[in-house]
Amino acid sequence: MEPLLAVKFGCVVALLLITLVCGLIPAQVKWFQIKAAKGRHRRILSYIGCFAAGVFLGACLMHTAADALTDIQGELSKRLQQAVAGQNLTGTQNNSSKASACGAELDYPFAELVISLGFFLVFLTESLVLHCCHSAPPTHGAPGKDPACSAPSVPSVPHSHGVPAPGNDSTCLPPSIPTVPHSHGVPVPGGPSPGSFRALVLFITLSLHSLFEGLAVGVQQGEAGALQLCLAVLVHKGVIAFSLGLQLVQSGTRPRCRLLYLGIFALMSPSGMAVGIGLSLSGGAAGGLAMALLEGVAAGTFLYITFLEILPHELSSREPPLAKFSFIALGFTVMATIAIWA
């Protein structure tokens, strides 16, 4: 076997194992179940959740969105250059006017538009799910009747960071106590949990991003470049897998679904690497406009989940604001550092 192929296959195995181990630790260890935590245990879990939120923020801005912007702009530039080159037979003057028109057309922020469409796509999907489930609309801190107060059998809010101490969960909150910012996470009896829906969207988004990461490693032509990128992706996937497992636990996803999500997520990067290896051996071109657009839509969904679900949930906890900021900034710094190599 060639040394380059040996490096890539070794990376496939390492990616699979590290992702599974890091994802299963918070998903299977009961110590990470925040609903049963009290005192110092609860405070530590809240800080870990803030760190995970910072990781997702860094992955969103420094990796997913940045990669989507670069790939979409690159593919559009390539297509426009090919269109200009195809007009060579029409004359030099006409070709010059075509080039200026293409340059002006490229000035439009197409990549940002694709990412925005991904944002509104998941926004619309979640709104439809909430409407069909007859769930309470998002109040974002506005006072109103809590659905959990009218029916004791209804489960409590999945994200329980900002919920008062046990003993008051069967009675309505006084008007002076602010409600949880995202109260639309209250599940309806007999209906799916919106928190679980957001966990599913987060899983799909991260899986697509992992597929593209694996593809980037698989198409490397040099041993040093493949090894360097592989090590960066290993660290990146380990941190992301741990954060994903923690989010699946906090969103109330069923244990069987958690195992299924993490298993599929662990297979995405190796699958992308396998496709990349096949493309590099066959001499084919990796990527393309369709994959760049898909990555842009995934980046938009990641933006929605990060800024409208994960960060508000962690910031609604009762821990000191500066402490929450420090752990979120620490998670972001880790991903920003990894971005130097990955």
Side-chain angles (χ1 to χ4, degrees):
M1 182 183 294
E2 297 180 4
L4 180 59
L5 284 179
V7 170
K8 292 181 179 180
F9 281 119
C11 182
V12 167
V13 177
L15 273 174
L16 182 62
L17 294 179
I18 288 181
T19 305
L20 281 176
V21 171
C22 293
L24 289 175
I25 287 176
Q28 297 300 111
V29 178
K30 291 185 177 180
W31 189 86
F32 290 95
Q33 306 290 332
I34 195 167
K35 292 181 179 180
K38 296 180 180 179
R40 185 180 180 183
H41 182 192
R42 186 184 187 86
R43 185 163 57 251
I44 293 175
L45 287 181
S46 178
Y47 291 152
I48 294 177
C50 290
F51 174 81
V55 168
F56 285 123
L57 179 62
C60 176
L61 298 179
M62 304 294 295
H63 294 265
T64 310
D67 292 346
L69 289 172
T70 303
D71 292 345
I72 294 175
Q73 288 296 111
E75 288 296 327
L76 289 177
S77 299
K78 187 188 304 181
R79 297 300 177 93
L80 290 176
Q81 290 174 2
Q82 291 174 354
V84 171
Q87 302 294 329
N88 287 335
L89 297 177
T90 63
T92 305
Q93 183 176 2
N94 191 24
N95 185 50
S96 177
S97 62
K98 288 281 186 180
S100 61
C102 290
E105 186 178 355
L106 194 59
D107 288 338
Y108 186 82
F110 285 105
E112 289 81 355
L113 177 62
V114 173
I115 294 176
S116 301
L117 290 177
F119 179 94
F120 282 104
L121 176 63
V122 70
F123 189 10
L124 174 63
T125 304
E126 182 180 7
S127 299
L128 291 175
V129 170
L130 293 174
H131 177 76
C132 294
C133 293
H134 303 287
S135 178
T139 59
H140 297 281
K145 184 178 180 180
D146 189 349
C149 299
S150 58
S153 61
V154 178
S156 59
V157 179
H159 307 311
S160 54
H161 285 303
V163 177
N168 295 329
D169 55 350
S170 60
T171 60
C172 293
L173 297 175
S176 59
I177 300 179
T179 58
V180 180
H182 278 251
S183 60
H184 55 288
V186 180
V188 176
S193 168
S196 298
F197 168 76
R198 296 189 195 98
L200 174 62
V201 174
L202 180 64
F203 153 73
I204 294 174
T205 303
L206 290 176
S207 296
L208 287 175
H209 181 60
S210 299
L211 183 66
F212 297 132
E213 277 186 336
L215 186 63
V217 178
V219 298
Q220 292 293 312
Q221 299 298 325
E223 298 175 26
L227 184 60
Q228 182 182 17
L229 187 57
C230 173
L231 292 176
V233 171
L234 282 174
V235 177
H236 176 255
K237 282 299 294 293
V239 177
I240 286 291
F242 181 88
S243 302
L244 176 61
L246 187 64
Q247 285 297 322
L248 291 175
V249 171
Q250 293 184 353
S251 65
T253 306
R254 296 177 180 178
R256 185 176 301 177
C257 293
R258 290 202 299 261
L259 293 177
L260 178 62
Y261 289 170
L262 291 172
I264 297 176
F265 176 69
L267 290 173
M268 296 307 289
S269 285
S271 300
M273 284 193 62
V275 174
I277 292 173
L279 290 173
S280 62
L281 292 177
S282 63
L289 183 59
M291 294 184 62
L293 294 176
L294 183 61
E295 190 172 7
V297 173
T301 63
F302 204 1
L303 280 172
Y304 180 90
I305 295 298
T306 300
F307 285 96
L308 295 186
E309 169 57 25
I310 297 176
L311 284 175
H313 158 49
E314 298 303 337
L315 293 176
S316 66
S317 65
R318 296 172 294 179
E319 312 308 328
L322 282 180
K324 292 186 289 187
F325 167 81
S326 300
F327 281 94
I328 291 175
L330 177 62
F332 180 87
T333 303
V334 170
M335 300 309 295
T337 304
I338 295 175
I340 299 176
W341 300 280

